[in-house]
Amino acid sequence: MIEVEHVSKTYKVARRDAGFVNALRALWHRRVEEIRALDDISFTISDGEMVGYIGPNGAGKSSTIKVLSGVLTPDAGKCVVNGKVPWKERVEYVRHIGVVFGQRSGLWWDVPIIDSFELLKEIYKIPDTTYKDSLDELVTLLDLGKIVKTPARQLSLGQRMRCEIAAALLHRPELLFLDEPTIGLDAVSKLAVRDFVRRINVEHKTTVILTTHDMQDIEALTKRILLIGHGKILRDCSFEELKAEAEGVSGGSIDEIVAALYAKYHI
Amino acid sequence: MRLYWKYFAMHLKSAMQFKASFFMMLVGQFLVSFSVFLGIHFMYLRFPTVKGYSYQDSLLCFAVILLSFSIAEIFVRGFDAFAGMLANGEFDRILVRPRNEILQVLCSKIAFTRIGRVVQAIAMFLYVVATSEISWGVKQILTVIFMVIGGSGLFAAMFILYAALCFFTTESLEFMNIFTDGAREYGKYPIDIYGKKVLWICTFLVPYTLVQYYPFLYLTGRRNEWWLMFLPFLALLFLVPAFAFWKYGVRHFKSTGS
């Protein structure tokens, strides 16, 4: 159960005009502008739900994920996930979540994948039997049999992403954050990842929060969508509703529909 | 501790993936500090003493500082390279793992190639032991060990301080190198040759004299107060503000996300 109530977060961004003189001037006079990354955000997500979190770049998706995963402390608001405040009881809390940052690797570059997994076992203090079951399951479902013996640097992006996802699930988290998990993947890998995410959601009742720019991910996986822009939650509805809403504007591909929606909300 | 050894093994495995590169780095690290040694050597070829200090005296100081610095670098390198971890989001990942963040940063890098410098420092020690006029007893040996412990701790504290500053600037601060790499270079002579002001700064601001100059005076019999040999432990106290500042930095990071 995720409860987010009136969460706000502002960043200070230093700005100056281009040029050497302005750079010098900025040394004395720093013009600081406040950016409202999250502006009074509220939502509730029940256990076992799979939610898509969409919005253009810079809308506040990553900031929300960071607050929910305990990396960032918001300025105001309340956030309780499974009875814990993420940023207050960080160590105890993160034991129960898994995070995949699609753009960055959490695996060791030069050693076989299985060594990275063994290290995670130690970090999360996973009991031997749980680890073995979990590993067997992930290796079968994600087809990692040969891959786990290869160093990460020699894997293709698709193979590596499958390993990243496995790494985030070894400790059987109740909650999984996927930050752009299909970015840069080919069609086959994308389908494999989607299929897998759907399965763990059904079989383990894992709550999944997914941010992506790939609308096919959203269409294939999630029933519920949160649309965020300029730090505000603009819509909280099903994919069909969102589609219907934009139908009048254009009848084209999913990407066109979403572009039309962004235009409609001026984001 | 178990986790630390797991990480240790991982770093060793990673390093061994590229054996040729590893050994070249090892030799490279040796050569870098060997050139400093040559500097001292040629200096004393021209001048038999510098402000009353002999060749052996300088080598002893340099060996202590170099060994301390290398040990700190091998184990605390994660803090030295911390600006990069902040920039590439590595630190975010550390925060989503259920372990203490200091331990994780410590574990993130173990610089085995620095063993090249350790080898050189030990070689210089052996030379000093063989040729200097110090009569080596238990007290002298303990003093040297204390100096290295204090020195490693002090350099470690500097690295941590340096990392903590990155939370506020997000970029690495090159001026801090005066106190780390700089101290390593200048530490090859007893600190008082640089004059009263430097001696004062290196005692009360950053306590390098506590691990080098004062115990060194005791070691070479220039002063006889017994407590001088324990001064390096006082320098270890420098770790306290360093860690406190780091903790403060983490809180700042979590509230700004810079």
Side-chain angles (χ1 to χ4, degrees):
Chain A
M1 182 83 159
I2 304 173
E3 288 171 286
V4 179
E5 278 172 43
H6 309 294
V7 164
S8 292
K9 178 83 208 163
T10 38
Y11 292 122
K12 287 196 177 71
V13 179
R15 275 177 212 255
R16 65 171 175 82
D17 300 321
F20 181 67
V21 178
N22 283 313
L24 281 182
R25 199 179 290 152
L27 278 177
W28 276 269
H29 266 300
R30 233 155 64 109
R31 245 189 304 150
V32 180
E33 223 169 284
E34 293 212 328
I35 304 275
R36 308 214 78 178
L38 299 176
D39 191 357
D40 199 18
I41 295 246
S42 301
F43 58 83
T44 311
I45 295 173
S46 325
D47 290 343
E49 240 186 306
M50 180 130 67
V51 176
Y53 201 42
I54 62 169
N57 298 107
K61 295 193 299 293
S62 294
S63 298
T64 315
I65 299 283
K66 280 184 181 178
V67 167
L68 285 177
S69 53
V71 174
L72 212 56
T73 311
D75 304 329
K78 219 179 94 187
C79 170
V80 181
V81 185
N82 294 338
K84 295 193 183 68
V85 179
W87 60 90
K88 282 199 180 134
E89 307 150 77
R90 185 186 71 76
V91 171
E92 197 35 53
Y93 170 73
V94 296
R95 217 179 279 287
H96 304 283
I97 64 167
V99 188
V100 176
F101 297 110
Q103 315 245 38
R104 312 179 207 124
S105 180
L107 301 164
W108 285 62
W109 206 239
D110 294 323
V111 294
I113 299 293
I114 190 72
D115 285 347
S116 290
F117 288 177
E118 294 273 336
L119 188 65
L120 286 168
K121 172 180 183 284
E122 206 62 44
I123 291 174
Y124 283 94
K125 298 181 185 155
I126 310 172
D128 289 339
T129 47
T130 321
Y131 174 73
K132 209 183 157 299
D133 290 351
S134 201
L135 185 65
D136 284 346
E137 188 192 351
L138 290 165
V139 165
T140 322
L141 288 179
L142 285 164
D143 193 17
L144 300 179
K146 281 189 201 125
I147 299 174
V148 287
K149 292 182 187 122
T150 320
R153 72 186 139 85
Q154 285 166 338
L155 295 179
S156 73
L157 188 60
Q159 290 171 326
R160 216 173 67 219
M161 188 52 70
R162 267 144 60 200
C163 295
E164 301 273 354
I165 294 174
L169 287 166
L170 278 172
H171 58 292
R172 300 230 161 123
E174 296 139 40
L175 187 57
L176 177 65
F177 296 102
L178 297 171
D179 195 1
E180 309 197 26
T182 57
I183 194 160
L185 298 193
D186 63 39
V188 180
S189 304
K190 261 186 200 176
L191 290 176
V193 166
R194 279 178 204 155
D195 195 45
F196 173 77
V197 171
R198 201 181 300 123
R199 274 186 85 150
I200 57 137
N201 174 254
V202 172
E203 282 171 23
H204 292 288
K205 300 276 175 289
T206 311
T207 312
V208 180
I209 296 181
L210 170 87
T211 79
T212 181
H213 290 292
D214 187 326
M215 292 307 147
Q216 284 161 346
D217 283 352
I218 297 280
E219 190 176 29
L221 286 176
T222 61
K223 292 195 185 70
R224 183 177 163 201
I225 287 175
L226 294 171
L227 174 67
I228 184 171
H230 297 309
K232 286 193 175 67
I233 298 271
L234 300 170
R235 293 288 278 132
D236 180 352
C237 61
S238 71
F239 185 74
E240 280 67 37
E241 278 177 76
L242 207 61
K243 218 167 153 182
E245 191 174 320
E247 211 69 69
V249 197
S250 95
S253 70
I254 312 175
D255 279 330
E256 279 170 328
I257 292 173
V258 172
L261 265 176
Y262 286 178
K264 185 182 163 195
Y265 285 103
H266 306 290
I267 55 177
Chain B
M1 213 49 213
R2 219 180 109 98
L3 183 64
Y4 191 83
W5 287 114
K6 274 271 177 185
Y7 268 103
F8 192 86
M10 284 290 268
H11 282 292
L12 206 55
K13 274 187 222 165
S14 291
M16 287 306 133
Q17 283 279 320
F18 304 98
K19 291 192 189 69
S21 152
F22 178 77
F23 286 110
M24 301 245 281
M25 283 281 282
L26 209 68
V27 173
Q29 288 292 334
F30 181 85
L31 288 178
V32 166
S33 40
F34 190 70
S35 68
V36 180
F37 161 76
L38 286 181
I40 301 176
H41 185 75
F42 290 128
M43 178 79 145
Y44 281 97
L45 275 184
R46 292 293 306 270
F47 311 99
T49 59
V50 175
K51 212 187 168 193
Y53 297 114
S54 66
Y55 180 50
Q56 277 81 6
D57 289 336
S58 266
L59 281 192
L60 182 60
C61 285
F62 186 44
V64 166
I65 292 291
L66 185 65
L67 189 57
S68 306
F69 184 83
S70 311
I71 291 174
E73 243 197 343
I74 291 172
F75 297 104
V76 195
R77 177 89 182 138
F79 283 98
D80 193 25
F82 187 70
M85 293 180 67
L86 267 188
N88 66 20
E90 189 77 12
F91 191 63
D92 289 352
R93 190 176 295 283
I94 282 180
L95 288 178
V96 302
R97 299 255 156 93
R99 288 304 182 105
N100 177 283
E101 59 271 6
I102 293 171
L103 177 68
Q104 289 191 70
V105 175
L106 273 182
C107 290
S108 69
K109 280 200 176 66
I110 297 174
F112 291 109
T113 51
R114 266 51 177 186
I115 291 169
R117 291 183 182 174
V118 172
V119 169
Q120 194 204 332
I122 290 173
M124 288 192 297
F125 256 132
L126 293 179
Y127 177 77
V128 171
V129 169
T131 60
S132 77
E133 289 148 20
I134 302 168
S135 57
W136 291 91
V138 177
K139 267 192 259 174
Q140 280 74 19
I141 294 168
L142 277 181
T143 307
V144 168
I145 293 173
F146 291 167
M147 285 164 93
V148 173
I149 293 174
S152 312
L154 187 57
F155 277 115
M158 293 314 293
F159 287 142
I160 294 166
L161 212 58
Y162 179 70
L165 277 173
C166 295
F167 282 118
F168 302 93
T169 60
T170 15
E171 267 165 59
S172 68
L173 294 159
E174 293 301 327
F175 83 85
M176 280 293 290
N177 290 352
I178 299 169
F179 297 109
T180 54
D181 295 299
R184 189 193 68 219
E185 294 303 307
Y186 296 119
K188 62 196 173 191
Y189 300 105
I191 291 172
D192 77 321
I193 72 155
Y194 302 107
K196 276 256 159 359
K197 274 190 200 122
V198 175
L199 191 67
W200 192 88
I201 291 172
C202 292
T203 306
F204 296 105
L205 200 64
V206 186
Y208 284 115
T209 56
L210 301 187
V211 300
Q212 193 231 35
Y213 180 59
Y214 292 112
F216 161 80
L217 291 182
Y218 176 76
L219 193 60
T220 52
R222 285 182 171 85
R223 279 175 70 171
N224 290 315
E225 295 94 323
W226 60 269
W227 48 267
L228 287 172
M229 70 185 279
F230 293 102
L231 278 181
F233 290 105
L234 206 60
L236 283 182
L237 286 180
F238 205 69
L239 280 165
V240 176
F243 272 122
F245 189 44
W246 162 265
K247 280 272 175 202
Y248 176 71
V250 174
R251 262 207 312 275
H252 174 81
F253 173 81
K254 291 185 80 179
S255 62
T256 58
S258 48

